[in-house]
Amino acid sequence: MPAPAHLDPRLLRAFVTVAEELHFTRAALRLYIAQQALSRDVRRLERELGSELFVRTTRQVTLTPDGERLLPYARRALAAQDDLLAAAGQTRPLLVDLNSPGLATGRRVLHRARELTPGHELMARYESGLTWAAGELVAGRLDASFGRFAGLPAALKAGLDQQPVRYEPMAVILPEGHRLAALAEVPLDALAGEEIYAGAGNPRTPEWTDLAGLLFEGRGIDVASPAPLAVGDEEFQRIMARTGNPVLTVVDFPPLPSMVLRPLVDPVPLSPVSLVWRKGLIHPALEGLRRAAADIAAEEGWLLRPTNGWVSDSDLDVMSSP
């Protein structure tokens, strides 16, 4: 078997996982990646080594003699890498941005990740929006965040990786005296003629304003003009009470005094949430964070779209990627 000058540890991990499972679907689930991506990694390793590592049939997967010879060496190489990552991870916590304190998706994933990685520190940060957080990720001042990956500029996306986590149903916050406040659910078309606040002008959240524009297009709903940037619930409530505009949000947004939250229906608009991190990030707690996100998504059906759900085409492309 010829020896290449360099082997990507990710490819070795793909090989070892398939060798242990002897099943590509089960191995992909263990690695939290799509089966197609796993197959590509294994084929790339085989090309780099110039040798087949598996015999694949419609019924089973088995190791070739070259695969059997490589397996113990690959395991030792990955064990050494894990030791290195563990040593590096002891020097600092993993910094995880949750956008804002009241949002549930990122908070639940972080809490589960802490349970899965008790030997490592994961610390919450609050950067308000993924666009702002993405710049901090690329600069190395944050390690992970949550939000709408499709709404990021291409230059930022190029330096990041993402894992789909949730299609979060969207809602609207209304003043108690609003004409739609008495409804248990608000049909989207009932907002025709309204100006809805969706963070326009906020440099931290343009991905959210963009999503609102896509959702409102052709429905007679306008994105409200920029309002003064409010920091904290009290200031946010004061500014929204002054403008009187309904606010686009998600169903898990925490309650605000003198305002009511109503889910949107017909269709149910879905806000796509990804776990996002810097490409090349080395930290042992990152795997726990990814596993936590995948586990909760599977348990709660977070990535299942309702038949009457609405998702933009650009978001569908991102959320269906490995």
Side-chain angles (χ1 to χ4, degrees):
M1 185 184 305
H6 171 75
L7 283 178
D8 187 337
R10 187 187 84 248
L11 305 184
L12 289 178
R13 198 170 296 278
F15 161 69
V16 168
T17 307
V18 175
E20 291 174 349
E21 295 290 342
L22 294 179
H23 195 284
F24 276 81
T25 300
R26 290 197 298 267
L29 289 172
R30 270 182 57 181
L31 293 170
Y32 310 108
I33 63 175
Q35 184 176 333
Q36 285 182 330
L38 176 62
S39 297
R40 286 196 300 268
D41 283 348
V42 171
R43 290 193 187 97
R44 178 181 159 191
L45 180 62
E46 289 177 324
R47 287 196 304 270
E48 293 186 4
L49 294 173
S51 179
E52 283 193 280
L53 302 175
F54 296 101
V55 177
R56 307 162 177 85
T57 70
T58 56
R59 296 193 175 190
Q60 62 179 0
V61 176
T62 58
L63 282 164
T64 65
D66 281 344
E68 291 177 351
R69 284 195 295 272
L70 178 64
L71 184 58
Y73 295 100
R75 281 174 168 155
R76 288 203 291 271
L78 291 174
Q81 184 199 34
D82 289 343
D83 289 343
L84 175 63
L85 296 182
Q90 291 172 1
T91 61
R92 66 173 185 86
L94 188 76
L95 302 180
V96 184
D97 169 48
L98 304 182
N99 302 143
S100 66
L103 297 179
T105 299
R107 186 178 71 250
R108 289 187 60 188
V109 172
L110 177 62
H111 288 176
R112 177 72 65 88
R114 285 170 174 161
E115 295 173 359
L116 294 174
T117 58
H120 301 287
E121 184 66 65
L122 294 89
M123 296 191 68
R125 294 289 187 268
Y126 303 98
E127 295 294 335
S128 296
L130 182 59
T131 298
W132 188 273
E136 298 295 284
L137 292 173
V138 172
R141 293 186 288 268
L142 276 178
D143 296 313
S145 186
F146 295 86
R148 181 180 172 244
F149 190 75
L152 295 179
L156 284 177
K157 287 193 282 191
L160 302 169
D161 280 322
Q162 66 94 23
Q163 174 179 319
V165 174
R166 185 179 186 184
Y167 287 110
E168 192 165 12
M170 297 166 73
V172 65
I173 298 175
L174 303 166
E176 287 181 339
H178 192 275
R179 63 184 178 87
L180 300 174
L183 299 178
E185 300 174 328
V186 174
L188 193 58
D189 289 345
L191 293 174
E194 296 277 356
E195 290 189 352
I196 311 296
Y197 179 74
N202 185 343
R204 293 175 176 261
T205 61
E207 75 282 354
W208 181 250
T209 309
D210 176 68
L211 181 62
L214 294 171
L215 175 62
F216 298 162
E217 187 175 4
R219 301 181 188 274
I221 309 170
D222 293 323
V223 174
S225 300
L229 183 60
V231 178
D233 289 350
E234 184 175 344
E235 281 295 278
F236 179 77
Q237 181 190 356
R238 184 180 67 83
I239 294 296
M240 290 303 101
R242 194 181 76 185
T243 65
N245 292 127
V247 180
L248 187 68
T249 186
V250 292
V251 293
D252 286 338
F253 197 85
L256 294 173
S258 303
M259 305 184 85
V260 296
L261 184 145
R262 298 292 184 255
L264 290 170
V265 294
D266 301 327
V268 175
L270 301 172
S271 170
V273 180
S274 291
L275 170 61
V276 183
W277 65 94
R278 182 173 61 260
K279 279 188 176 178
L281 174 63
I282 296 176
H283 196 294
L286 177 61
E287 184 62 29
L289 194 66
R290 295 188 64 189
R291 178 182 166 192
D295 287 352
I296 298 176
E299 294 164 8
E300 302 286 339
W302 275 359
L303 290 172
L304 299 177
R305 287 185 288 131
T307 55
N308 62 339
W310 174 93
V311 184
S312 78
D313 290 340
S314 58
D315 289 299
L316 279 177
D317 289 341
V318 166
M319 297 295 280
S320 61
S321 66

